[in-house]
Amino acid sequence: MFSRSAIRTLAAPSSRLFSSSSARHTKVAVLGAGGGIGQPLSLLLKSDPLVTSLSLYDIRGAPGVAADVSHVDTASEVKGYAADHLDDALEGVQVVVIPAGVPRKPGMTRDDLFNTNASIVRDLAAAVARVAPTACVLVISNPVNSTVPIVAATLEKAGVFDPKRVFGVTTLDVVRAARFTAGVTNAKPSETPVTVSSKGKTVSGEVYEKLVHRIQFGGDEVVQAKEGAGSATLSMAYAGAKFANAVLRGLNGEKGVTTPTFVKSPLFADQGIDFFSSNVELGPNGVEKIHPLGELSAEEQKLLDACLPELKKNIEKGKAFAA
Ligand code: NAD
Ligand code: LMR
């Protein structure tokens, strides 16, 4: 139920959407660019100074989105690709962001999306393996706990899997955690980094319980408010652009870029769980260092213990599909 959620509370976001270092040429592709997340994400990536070229692909509507976004007066070039032009869209790309797939409606779990999204993600990953085998792949499509192992296994089958370059985007969880914690502590979100938040430590009792629940079920809050029209798109686009910027800064050689993400990880591998989300330092090759969780409170330990069996099942389901 909260396999992403326990993890969500354990990370520290920074406050600015984009920061830049000395730029090199970086071509970024968005697969699913015509969707609720894909459109605003494409716009935000157009505003990122580290993106020099933007390749927008969807089975529906990407050329229109590309024409629109391309008028924004930033330096990057934008090109749209319709269905059947996936390989062209991936040509020369260093970073691939995947928000393709169906979102939840009220009453659905993320796992209910598996049957539709698993094959979408597998097919896109197969194209990445063919055309852009060294690209960093940032997976947004749900259920992330399963879609990331599917991408990894698909790349592995093609002989091009590099665990340093496949990421599940869990940034929305820490964006929410920072925002909601700020709300209950009368602070600014920039003052409420979640792993080591002095403000967070002041929250206890019922307020703490409600805060943790809200972070875990933030996705449901949006799904219900949208009344069948989908799940989080705008905040997710913000989170996706923020995470992509972190990856790009690492690729550009910036030091000390650390952010939480769901990656192939040794942290719980001894329990048969070989993907996990924790703070990860990013660098020129993608993942530079996977940080341990650090000291957990008794409450955090309980959340972690509850999430592990569910997470294991999600990962195994993804692997079994890809096999
Ligand atoms: P959406 O339906 O608005 O958009 C999805 C887009 O994917 C559509 O434009 C569709 O045409 C496209 N698409 C479908 N199959 C495709 C394929 N084979 N190739 C390329 N494009 C394809 O959905 P959305 O609201 O943008 O959500 C997308 C996904 O992101 C969902 O699975 C949702 O659950 C997930 N999501 C994840 C997070 C997270 O924190 N990781 C947050 C919010 C949503
Ligand atoms: C979220 O947390 O908003 C996403 O995972 C989308 C969803 O289905 O809740």
Side-chain angles (χ1 to χ4, degrees), residues 25-31 33 38-48 50-57 62 65-70 72 74-81 88-97 244 248:
H25 289 285
T26 316
K27 187 169 183 182
V28 177
V30 180
L31 309 183
Q39 292 200 32
L41 174 60
S42 300
L43 174 64
L44 291 170
L45 290 172
K46 178 75 175 92
S47 309
D48 187 331
L50 295 182
V51 178
T52 54
S53 179
L54 196 51
S55 193
L56 305 183
Y57 170 80
V65 175
D68 192 351
V69 164
S70 73
V72 170
T74 54
S76 48
E77 299 293 334
V78 185
K79 225 170 154 187
Y81 297 87
D88 298 334
L90 288 169
E91 201 61 59
V93 158
Q94 281 95 38
V95 175
V96 181
V97 193
L248 291 168

mmCIF file of all heavy atoms in Angstrom, residues 25-31 33 38-48 50-57 62 65-70 72 74-81 88-97 244 248:
data_model
loop_
_atom_site.group_PDB
_atom_site.id
_atom_site.type_symbol
_atom_site.label_atom_id
_atom_site.label_comp_id
_atom_site.label_asym_id
_atom_site.label_seq_id
_atom_site.Cartn_x
_atom_site.Cartn_y
_atom_site.Cartn_z
ATOM 1 N N HIS A 25 26.093 20.046 -24.194
ATOM 2 C CA HIS A 25 24.900 19.762 -24.987
ATOM 3 C C HIS A 25 24.168 18.557 -24.418
ATOM 4 O O HIS A 25 24.744 17.498 -24.254
ATOM 5 C CB HIS A 25 25.298 19.513 -26.441
ATOM 6 C CG HIS A 25 25.727 20.782 -27.092
ATOM 7 N ND1 HIS A 25 24.833 21.742 -27.484
ATOM 8 C CD2 HIS A 25 26.938 21.266 -27.380
ATOM 9 C CE1 HIS A 25 25.487 22.770 -27.987
ATOM 10 N NE2 HIS A 25 26.770 22.505 -27.935
ATOM 11 N N THR A 26 22.921 18.727 -24.107
ATOM 12 C CA THR A 26 22.163 17.609 -23.568
ATOM 13 C C THR A 26 20.810 17.512 -24.235
ATOM 14 O O THR A 26 19.986 18.430 -24.142
ATOM 15 C CB THR A 26 21.953 17.765 -22.046
ATOM 16 O OG1 THR A 26 23.174 18.178 -21.463
ATOM 17 C CG2 THR A 26 21.506 16.467 -21.438
ATOM 18 N N LYS A 27 20.628 16.387 -24.916
ATOM 19 C CA LYS A 27 19.354 16.145 -25.581
ATOM 20 C C LYS A 27 18.489 15.280 -24.676
ATOM 21 O O LYS A 27 18.918 14.225 -24.205
ATOM 22 C CB LYS A 27 19.614 15.438 -26.919
ATOM 23 C CG LYS A 27 18.377 15.287 -27.768
ATOM 24 C CD LYS A 27 18.746 14.839 -29.181
ATOM 25 C CE LYS A 27 17.521 14.744 -30.062
ATOM 26 N NZ LYS A 27 17.857 14.274 -31.418
ATOM 27 N N VAL A 28 17.267 15.736 -24.449
ATOM 28 C CA VAL A 28 16.346 15.042 -23.554
ATOM 29 C C VAL A 28 15.103 14.644 -24.347
ATOM 30 O O VAL A 28 14.566 15.450 -25.118
ATOM 31 C CB VAL A 28 15.929 15.961 -22.378
ATOM 32 C CG1 VAL A 28 14.907 15.280 -21.479
ATOM 33 C CG2 VAL A 28 17.155 16.385 -21.559
ATOM 34 N N ALA A 29 14.647 13.411 -24.153
ATOM 35 C CA ALA A 29 13.403 12.971 -24.798
ATOM 36 C C ALA A 29 12.329 12.778 -23.739
ATOM 37 O O ALA A 29 12.611 12.281 -22.639
ATOM 38 C CB ALA A 29 13.629 11.657 -25.545
ATOM 39 N N VAL A 30 11.097 13.170 -24.064
ATOM 40 C CA VAL A 30 9.948 12.870 -23.212
ATOM 41 C C VAL A 30 9.073 11.898 -23.989
ATOM 42 O O VAL A 30 8.597 12.218 -25.093
ATOM 43 C CB VAL A 30 9.141 14.147 -22.869
ATOM 44 C CG1 VAL A 30 7.952 13.799 -21.979
ATOM 45 C CG2 VAL A 30 10.036 15.187 -22.187
ATOM 46 N N LEU A 31 8.854 10.704 -23.440
ATOM 47 C CA LEU A 31 8.012 9.694 -24.098
ATOM 48 C C LEU A 31 6.671 9.679 -23.367
ATOM 49 O O LEU A 31 6.586 9.270 -22.208
ATOM 50 C CB LEU A 31 8.686 8.315 -24.037
ATOM 51 C CG LEU A 31 10.151 8.260 -24.513
ATOM 52 C CD1 LEU A 31 10.668 6.818 -24.478
ATOM 53 C CD2 LEU A 31 10.311 8.850 -25.920
ATOM 54 N N ALA A 33 4.723 12.650 -24.203
ATOM 55 C CA ALA A 33 4.754 14.117 -24.086
ATOM 56 C C ALA A 33 3.394 14.778 -24.311
ATOM 57 O O ALA A 33 3.207 15.942 -23.975
ATOM 58 C CB ALA A 33 5.768 14.683 -25.081
ATOM 59 N N GLY A 38 3.039 14.903 -19.400
ATOM 60 C CA GLY A 38 3.987 15.146 -20.490
ATOM 61 C C GLY A 38 3.985 16.587 -20.980
ATOM 62 O O GLY A 38 5.048 17.153 -21.259
ATOM 63 N N GLN A 39 2.813 17.197 -21.062
ATOM 64 C CA GLN A 39 2.764 18.561 -21.616
ATOM 65 C C GLN A 39 3.435 19.584 -20.695
ATOM 66 O O GLN A 39 4.357 20.293 -21.132
ATOM 67 C CB GLN A 39 1.319 18.956 -21.906
ATOM 68 C CG GLN A 39 0.713 18.148 -23.044
ATOM 69 C CD GLN A 39 -0.500 18.830 -23.664
ATOM 70 O OE1 GLN A 39 -0.588 20.050 -23.725
ATOM 71 N NE2 GLN A 39 -1.440 18.036 -24.131
ATOM 72 N N PRO A 40 3.004 19.692 -19.428
ATOM 73 C CA PRO A 40 3.690 20.674 -18.582
ATOM 74 C C PRO A 40 5.155 20.308 -18.309
ATOM 75 O O PRO A 40 5.996 21.192 -18.163
ATOM 76 C CB PRO A 40 2.868 20.683 -17.282
ATOM 77 C CG PRO A 40 2.043 19.442 -17.303
ATOM 78 C CD PRO A 40 1.841 19.085 -18.744
ATOM 79 N N LEU A 41 5.462 19.011 -18.298
ATOM 80 C CA LEU A 41 6.855 18.597 -18.105
ATOM 81 C C LEU A 41 7.704 19.088 -19.282
ATOM 82 O O LEU A 41 8.817 19.594 -19.111
ATOM 83 C CB LEU A 41 6.928 17.072 -17.979
ATOM 84 C CG LEU A 41 8.319 16.451 -17.907
ATOM 85 C CD1 LEU A 41 9.101 16.960 -16.699
ATOM 86 C CD2 LEU A 41 8.214 14.919 -17.831
ATOM 87 N N SER A 42 7.157 18.964 -20.494
ATOM 88 C CA SER A 42 7.885 19.428 -21.678
ATOM 89 C C SER A 42 8.113 20.935 -21.592
ATOM 90 O O SER A 42 9.205 21.436 -21.925
ATOM 91 C CB SER A 42 7.094 19.092 -22.947
ATOM 92 O OG SER A 42 6.902 17.692 -23.029
ATOM 93 N N LEU A 43 7.120 21.646 -21.130
ATOM 94 C CA LEU A 43 7.258 23.102 -20.978
ATOM 95 C C LEU A 43 8.363 23.437 -19.970
ATOM 96 O O LEU A 43 9.210 24.304 -20.219
ATOM 97 C CB LEU A 43 5.920 23.697 -20.522
ATOM 98 C CG LEU A 43 5.931 25.189 -20.190
ATOM 99 C CD1 LEU A 43 6.262 26.026 -21.421
ATOM 100 C CD2 LEU A 43 4.575 25.616 -19.626
ATOM 101 N N LEU A 44 8.344 22.733 -18.831
ATOM 102 C CA LEU A 44 9.352 23.018 -17.800
ATOM 103 C C LEU A 44 10.749 22.641 -18.292
ATOM 104 O O LEU A 44 11.724 23.347 -18.008
ATOM 105 C CB LEU A 44 9.012 22.267 -16.507
ATOM 106 C CG LEU A 44 7.750 22.783 -15.792
ATOM 107 C CD1 LEU A 44 7.340 21.828 -14.663
ATOM 108 C CD2 LEU A 44 7.968 24.180 -15.237
ATOM 109 N N LEU A 45 10.855 21.550 -19.031
ATOM 110 C CA LEU A 45 12.174 21.172 -19.560
ATOM 111 C C LEU A 45 12.651 22.193 -20.591
ATOM 112 O O LEU A 45 13.851 22.440 -20.732
ATOM 113 C CB LEU A 45 12.125 19.765 -20.164
ATOM 114 C CG LEU A 45 11.951 18.624 -19.139
ATOM 115 C CD1 LEU A 45 11.710 17.291 -19.846
ATOM 116 C CD2 LEU A 45 13.168 18.516 -18.219
ATOM 117 N N LYS A 46 11.701 22.801 -21.307
ATOM 118 C CA LYS A 46 12.080 23.852 -22.269
ATOM 119 C C LYS A 46 12.692 25.041 -21.527
ATOM 120 O O LYS A 46 13.499 25.795 -22.077
ATOM 121 C CB LYS A 46 10.820 24.289 -23.053
ATOM 122 C CG LYS A 46 11.058 25.405 -24.046
ATOM 123 C CD LYS A 46 11.779 24.929 -25.298
ATOM 124 C CE LYS A 46 11.928 26.002 -26.354
ATOM 125 N NZ LYS A 46 13.176 26.767 -26.263
ATOM 126 N N SER A 47 12.313 25.211 -20.268
ATOM 127 C CA SER A 47 12.839 26.324 -19.467
ATOM 128 C C SER A 47 14.133 25.971 -18.750
ATOM 129 O O SER A 47 14.706 26.829 -18.080
ATOM 130 C CB SER A 47 11.822 26.719 -18.386
ATOM 131 O OG SER A 47 10.574 26.925 -18.961
ATOM 132 N N ASP A 48 14.543 24.719 -18.830
ATOM 133 C CA ASP A 48 15.756 24.309 -18.112
ATOM 134 C C ASP A 48 16.984 24.629 -18.966
ATOM 135 O O ASP A 48 17.140 24.073 -20.060
ATOM 136 C CB ASP A 48 15.695 22.797 -17.808
ATOM 137 C CG ASP A 48 16.847 22.349 -16.919
ATOM 138 O OD1 ASP A 48 17.932 22.975 -16.977
ATOM 139 O OD2 ASP A 48 16.672 21.382 -16.174
ATOM 140 N N LEU A 50 19.864 23.605 -18.841
ATOM 141 C CA LEU A 50 20.745 22.462 -19.108
ATOM 142 C C LEU A 50 20.239 21.581 -20.246
ATOM 143 O O LEU A 50 20.934 20.679 -20.699
ATOM 144 C CB LEU A 50 20.917 21.618 -17.840
ATOM 145 C CG LEU A 50 21.638 22.317 -16.695
ATOM 146 C CD1 LEU A 50 21.801 21.377 -15.511
ATOM 147 C CD2 LEU A 50 22.990 22.849 -17.142
ATOM 148 N N VAL A 51 19.020 21.841 -20.702
ATOM 149 C CA VAL A 51 18.477 21.067 -21.832
ATOM 150 C C VAL A 51 18.750 21.871 -23.107
ATOM 151 O O VAL A 51 18.256 22.979 -23.262
ATOM 152 C CB VAL A 51 16.958 20.841 -21.674
ATOM 153 C CG1 VAL A 51 16.392 20.078 -22.871
ATOM 154 C CG2 VAL A 51 16.659 20.108 -20.366
ATOM 155 N N THR A 52 19.518 21.267 -24.010
ATOM 156 C CA THR A 52 19.811 22.014 -25.240
ATOM 157 C C THR A 52 18.926 21.565 -26.388
ATOM 158 O O THR A 52 18.733 22.296 -27.351
ATOM 159 C CB THR A 52 21.299 21.871 -25.643
ATOM 160 O OG1 THR A 52 21.602 20.482 -25.718
ATOM 161 C CG2 THR A 52 22.194 22.534 -24.623
ATOM 162 N N SER A 53 18.373 20.351 -26.283
ATOM 163 C CA SER A 53 17.516 19.851 -27.348
ATOM 164 C C SER A 53 16.446 18.963 -26.719
ATOM 165 O O SER A 53 16.740 18.168 -25.825
ATOM 166 C CB SER A 53 18.386 19.060 -28.328
ATOM 167 O OG SER A 53 17.598 18.543 -29.350
ATOM 168 N N LEU A 54 15.210 19.140 -27.182
ATOM 169 C CA LEU A 54 14.083 18.451 -26.553
ATOM 170 C C LEU A 54 13.330 17.680 -27.628
ATOM 171 O O LEU A 54 12.910 18.248 -28.639
ATOM 172 C CB LEU A 54 13.184 19.516 -25.916
ATOM 173 C CG LEU A 54 12.147 19.125 -24.886
ATOM 174 C CD1 LEU A 54 12.737 18.267 -23.774
ATOM 175 C CD2 LEU A 54 11.531 20.402 -24.288
ATOM 176 N N SER A 55 13.156 16.396 -27.364
ATOM 177 C CA SER A 55 12.556 15.501 -28.346
ATOM 178 C C SER A 55 11.253 14.987 -27.740
ATOM 179 O O SER A 55 11.276 14.288 -26.731
ATOM 180 C CB SER A 55 13.570 14.363 -28.528
ATOM 181 O OG SER A 55 13.300 13.583 -29.608
ATOM 182 N N LEU A 56 10.107 15.348 -28.317
ATOM 183 C CA LEU A 56 8.819 15.033 -27.693
ATOM 184 C C LEU A 56 8.085 13.961 -28.492
ATOM 185 O O LEU A 56 7.771 14.157 -29.670
ATOM 186 C CB LEU A 56 7.958 16.303 -27.591
ATOM 187 C CG LEU A 56 8.609 17.479 -26.859
ATOM 188 C CD1 LEU A 56 7.648 18.667 -26.749
ATOM 189 C CD2 LEU A 56 9.122 17.073 -25.479
ATOM 190 N N TYR A 57 7.801 12.836 -27.838
ATOM 191 C CA TYR A 57 7.166 11.709 -28.516
ATOM 192 C C TYR A 57 5.913 11.285 -27.766
ATOM 193 O O TYR A 57 5.868 11.267 -26.536
ATOM 194 C CB TYR A 57 8.126 10.515 -28.584
ATOM 195 C CG TYR A 57 7.455 9.249 -29.066
ATOM 196 C CD1 TYR A 57 7.233 9.038 -30.428
ATOM 197 C CD2 TYR A 57 7.018 8.287 -28.156
ATOM 198 C CE1 TYR A 57 6.585 7.882 -30.862
ATOM 199 C CE2 TYR A 57 6.376 7.129 -28.586
ATOM 200 C CZ TYR A 57 6.164 6.936 -29.954
ATOM 201 O OH TYR A 57 5.514 5.813 -30.377
ATOM 202 N N ALA A 62 1.990 14.661 -30.004
ATOM 203 C CA ALA A 62 3.301 15.244 -29.663
ATOM 204 C C ALA A 62 3.732 16.370 -30.618
ATOM 205 O O ALA A 62 4.280 17.381 -30.158
ATOM 206 C CB ALA A 62 4.368 14.156 -29.579
ATOM 207 N N VAL A 65 2.169 19.568 -29.371
ATOM 208 C CA VAL A 65 2.790 20.032 -28.122
ATOM 209 C C VAL A 65 4.157 20.648 -28.448
ATOM 210 O O VAL A 65 4.517 21.722 -27.942
ATOM 211 C CB VAL A 65 2.952 18.873 -27.109
ATOM 212 C CG1 VAL A 65 3.699 19.318 -25.866
ATOM 213 C CG2 VAL A 65 1.586 18.302 -26.736
ATOM 214 N N ALA A 66 4.903 19.992 -29.337
ATOM 215 C CA ALA A 66 6.246 20.479 -29.680
ATOM 216 C C ALA A 66 6.159 21.847 -30.367
ATOM 217 O O ALA A 66 6.944 22.763 -30.055
ATOM 218 C CB ALA A 66 6.952 19.471 -30.584
ATOM 219 N N ALA A 67 5.205 22.008 -31.284
ATOM 220 C CA ALA A 67 5.070 23.294 -31.982
ATOM 221 C C ALA A 67 4.792 24.403 -30.969
ATOM 222 O O ALA A 67 5.375 25.491 -31.019
ATOM 223 C CB ALA A 67 3.938 23.203 -33.009
ATOM 224 N N ASP A 68 3.908 24.106 -30.028
ATOM 225 C CA ASP A 68 3.519 25.069 -29.003
ATOM 226 C C ASP A 68 4.718 25.429 -28.113
ATOM 227 O O ASP A 68 5.110 26.607 -27.988
ATOM 228 C CB ASP A 68 2.388 24.412 -28.186
ATOM 229 C CG ASP A 68 1.658 25.354 -27.270
ATOM 230 O OD1 ASP A 68 2.112 26.500 -27.107
ATOM 231 O OD2 ASP A 68 0.630 24.936 -26.694
ATOM 232 N N VAL A 69 5.321 24.407 -27.522
ATOM 233 C CA VAL A 69 6.435 24.620 -26.585
ATOM 234 C C VAL A 69 7.631 25.280 -27.279
ATOM 235 O O VAL A 69 8.362 26.077 -26.680
ATOM 236 C CB VAL A 69 6.830 23.256 -25.950
ATOM 237 C CG1 VAL A 69 8.189 23.314 -25.292
ATOM 238 C CG2 VAL A 69 5.782 22.819 -24.931
ATOM 239 N N SER A 70 7.803 24.999 -28.565
ATOM 240 C CA SER A 70 8.986 25.503 -29.277
ATOM 241 C C SER A 70 8.987 27.023 -29.406
ATOM 242 O O SER A 70 10.012 27.617 -29.726
ATOM 243 C CB SER A 70 9.101 24.864 -30.659
ATOM 244 O OG SER A 70 8.115 25.407 -31.523
ATOM 245 N N VAL A 72 8.552 29.057 -26.950
ATOM 246 C CA VAL A 72 9.086 29.650 -25.711
ATOM 247 C C VAL A 72 10.520 30.127 -25.974
ATOM 248 O O VAL A 72 11.315 29.408 -26.586
ATOM 249 C CB VAL A 72 9.046 28.598 -24.571
ATOM 250 C CG1 VAL A 72 9.804 29.092 -23.343
ATOM 251 C CG2 VAL A 72 7.597 28.287 -24.220
ATOM 252 N N THR A 74 13.524 30.245 -24.992
ATOM 253 C CA THR A 74 14.775 29.740 -24.411
ATOM 254 C C THR A 74 15.572 29.103 -25.532
ATOM 255 O O THR A 74 15.033 28.861 -26.630
ATOM 256 C CB THR A 74 14.495 28.699 -23.308
ATOM 257 O OG1 THR A 74 13.653 27.674 -23.863
ATOM 258 C CG2 THR A 74 13.798 29.323 -22.116
ATOM 259 N N ALA A 75 16.844 28.802 -25.271
ATOM 260 C CA ALA A 75 17.758 28.435 -26.364
ATOM 261 C C ALA A 75 17.495 27.061 -26.976
ATOM 262 O O ALA A 75 17.835 26.822 -28.135
ATOM 263 C CB ALA A 75 19.190 28.506 -25.847
ATOM 264 N N SER A 76 16.886 26.142 -26.238
ATOM 265 C CA SER A 76 16.811 24.761 -26.719
ATOM 266 C C SER A 76 15.940 24.596 -27.965
ATOM 267 O O SER A 76 14.971 25.325 -28.170
ATOM 268 C CB SER A 76 16.284 23.856 -25.603
ATOM 269 O OG SER A 76 15.132 24.414 -25.018
ATOM 270 N N GLU A 77 16.308 23.598 -28.758
ATOM 271 C CA GLU A 77 15.535 23.222 -29.949
ATOM 272 C C GLU A 77 14.494 22.192 -29.529
ATOM 273 O O GLU A 77 14.773 21.327 -28.706
ATOM 274 C CB GLU A 77 16.457 22.560 -30.985
ATOM 275 C CG GLU A 77 17.584 23.436 -31.479
ATOM 276 C CD GLU A 77 17.064 24.607 -32.297
ATOM 277 O OE1 GLU A 77 15.968 24.472 -32.878
ATOM 278 O OE2 GLU A 77 17.735 25.659 -32.315
ATOM 279 N N VAL A 78 13.302 22.244 -30.134
ATOM 280 C CA VAL A 78 12.250 21.271 -29.790
ATOM 281 C C VAL A 78 11.741 20.614 -31.066
ATOM 282 O O VAL A 78 11.494 21.294 -32.070
ATOM 283 C CB VAL A 78 11.045 21.964 -29.109
ATOM 284 C CG1 VAL A 78 10.026 20.917 -28.644
ATOM 285 C CG2 VAL A 78 11.491 22.813 -27.932
ATOM 286 N N LYS A 79 11.577 19.294 -31.010
ATOM 287 C CA LYS A 79 11.008 18.578 -32.154
ATOM 288 C C LYS A 79 9.983 17.573 -31.666
ATOM 289 O O LYS A 79 10.203 16.915 -30.637
ATOM 290 C CB LYS A 79 12.130 17.851 -32.899
ATOM 291 C CG LYS A 79 12.030 18.043 -34.393
ATOM 292 C CD LYS A 79 13.234 17.551 -35.110
ATOM 293 C CE LYS A 79 12.764 17.194 -36.523
ATOM 294 N NZ LYS A 79 13.747 16.569 -37.313
ATOM 295 N N GLY A 80 8.867 17.466 -32.371
ATOM 296 C CA GLY A 80 7.821 16.529 -31.996
ATOM 297 C C GLY A 80 7.817 15.307 -32.905
ATOM 298 O O GLY A 80 8.119 15.415 -34.094
ATOM 299 N N TYR A 81 7.466 14.157 -32.341
ATOM 300 C CA TYR A 81 7.463 12.912 -33.115
ATOM 301 C C TYR A 81 6.156 12.167 -32.875
ATOM 302 O O TYR A 81 5.774 11.911 -31.721
ATOM 303 C CB TYR A 81 8.639 12.020 -32.683
ATOM 304 C CG TYR A 81 9.977 12.649 -32.964
ATOM 305 C CD1 TYR A 81 10.562 13.498 -32.031
ATOM 306 C CD2 TYR A 81 10.635 12.421 -34.171
ATOM 307 C CE1 TYR A 81 11.790 14.094 -32.280
ATOM 308 C CE2 TYR A 81 11.871 13.003 -34.428
ATOM 309 C CZ TYR A 81 12.442 13.842 -33.477
ATOM 310 O OH TYR A 81 13.654 14.426 -33.739
ATOM 311 N N ASP A 88 13.300 7.641 -34.161
ATOM 312 C CA ASP A 88 13.816 8.974 -34.539
ATOM 313 C C ASP A 88 13.879 9.878 -33.310
ATOM 314 O O ASP A 88 14.812 10.648 -33.124
ATOM 315 C CB ASP A 88 12.897 9.636 -35.589
ATOM 316 C CG ASP A 88 12.846 8.821 -36.874
ATOM 317 O OD1 ASP A 88 13.822 8.101 -37.146
ATOM 318 O OD2 ASP A 88 11.821 8.895 -37.588
ATOM 319 N N ALA A 89 12.838 9.765 -32.473
ATOM 320 C CA ALA A 89 12.775 10.629 -31.276
ATOM 321 C C ALA A 89 13.933 10.352 -30.327
ATOM 322 O O ALA A 89 14.360 11.238 -29.583
ATOM 323 C CB ALA A 89 11.445 10.415 -30.557
ATOM 324 N N LEU A 90 14.432 9.123 -30.343
ATOM 325 C CA LEU A 90 15.470 8.735 -29.369
ATOM 326 C C LEU A 90 16.899 8.932 -29.887
ATOM 327 O O LEU A 90 17.861 8.755 -29.135
ATOM 328 C CB LEU A 90 15.265 7.272 -28.970
ATOM 329 C CG LEU A 90 14.044 7.017 -28.081
ATOM 330 C CD1 LEU A 90 13.758 5.526 -27.967
ATOM 331 C CD2 LEU A 90 14.246 7.614 -26.695
ATOM 332 N N GLU A 91 17.008 9.297 -31.141
ATOM 333 C CA GLU A 91 18.325 9.447 -31.759
ATOM 334 C C GLU A 91 19.180 10.485 -31.005
ATOM 335 O O GLU A 91 18.761 11.634 -30.856
ATOM 336 C CB GLU A 91 18.116 9.893 -33.220
ATOM 337 C CG GLU A 91 19.270 9.621 -34.142
ATOM 338 C CD GLU A 91 19.599 8.130 -34.264
ATOM 339 O OE1 GLU A 91 18.710 7.342 -34.669
ATOM 340 O OE2 GLU A 91 20.742 7.784 -33.923
ATOM 341 N N GLY A 92 20.350 10.080 -30.517
ATOM 342 C CA GLY A 92 21.299 11.013 -29.896
ATOM 343 C C GLY A 92 20.896 11.545 -28.528
ATOM 344 O O GLY A 92 21.472 12.527 -28.040
ATOM 345 N N VAL A 93 19.928 10.873 -27.891
ATOM 346 C CA VAL A 93 19.399 11.378 -26.622
ATOM 347 C C VAL A 93 20.245 10.901 -25.433
ATOM 348 O O VAL A 93 20.670 9.759 -25.397
ATOM 349 C CB VAL A 93 17.919 10.908 -26.494
ATOM 350 C CG1 VAL A 93 17.456 10.891 -25.068
ATOM 351 C CG2 VAL A 93 17.014 11.789 -27.353
ATOM 352 N N GLN A 94 20.473 11.796 -24.453
ATOM 353 C CA GLN A 94 21.231 11.396 -23.245
ATOM 354 C C GLN A 94 20.325 11.110 -22.048
ATOM 355 O O GLN A 94 20.714 10.395 -21.131
ATOM 356 C CB GLN A 94 22.204 12.509 -22.824
ATOM 357 C CG GLN A 94 23.474 12.579 -23.635
ATOM 358 C CD GLN A 94 23.348 13.575 -24.762
ATOM 359 O OE1 GLN A 94 22.748 14.614 -24.609
ATOM 360 N NE2 GLN A 94 23.897 13.223 -25.905
ATOM 361 N N VAL A 95 19.142 11.729 -22.051
ATOM 362 C CA VAL A 95 18.214 11.523 -20.929
ATOM 363 C C VAL A 95 16.817 11.271 -21.499
ATOM 364 O O VAL A 95 16.332 12.031 -22.338
ATOM 365 C CB VAL A 95 18.170 12.763 -19.998
ATOM 366 C CG1 VAL A 95 17.109 12.593 -18.914
ATOM 367 C CG2 VAL A 95 19.539 13.009 -19.364
ATOM 368 N N VAL A 96 16.200 10.175 -21.059
ATOM 369 C CA VAL A 96 14.846 9.832 -21.513
ATOM 370 C C VAL A 96 13.915 9.881 -20.303
ATOM 371 O O VAL A 96 14.172 9.203 -19.306
ATOM 372 C CB VAL A 96 14.807 8.398 -22.099
ATOM 373 C CG1 VAL A 96 13.406 8.063 -22.596
ATOM 374 C CG2 VAL A 96 15.825 8.237 -23.209
ATOM 375 N N VAL A 97 12.858 10.670 -20.384
ATOM 376 C CA VAL A 97 11.889 10.728 -19.289
ATOM 377 C C VAL A 97 10.604 10.058 -19.776
ATOM 378 O O VAL A 97 10.109 10.375 -20.869
ATOM 379 C CB VAL A 97 11.584 12.182 -18.870
ATOM 380 C CG1 VAL A 97 10.844 12.201 -17.538
ATOM 381 C CG2 VAL A 97 12.854 13.007 -18.776
ATOM 382 N N ALA A 244 14.880 15.705 -13.264
ATOM 383 C CA ALA A 244 15.677 15.702 -14.502
ATOM 384 C C ALA A 244 16.806 16.716 -14.388
ATOM 385 O O ALA A 244 17.945 16.456 -14.804
ATOM 386 C CB ALA A 244 14.782 16.024 -15.700
ATOM 387 N N LEU A 248 20.766 16.027 -14.818
ATOM 388 C CA LEU A 248 21.567 16.792 -15.786
ATOM 389 C C LEU A 248 22.749 17.489 -15.104
ATOM 390 O O LEU A 248 23.853 17.537 -15.653
ATOM 391 C CB LEU A 248 20.684 17.841 -16.480
ATOM 392 C CG LEU A 248 19.633 17.259 -17.435
ATOM 393 C CD1 LEU A 248 18.632 18.339 -17.847
ATOM 394 C CD2 LEU A 248 20.305 16.674 -18.667
#
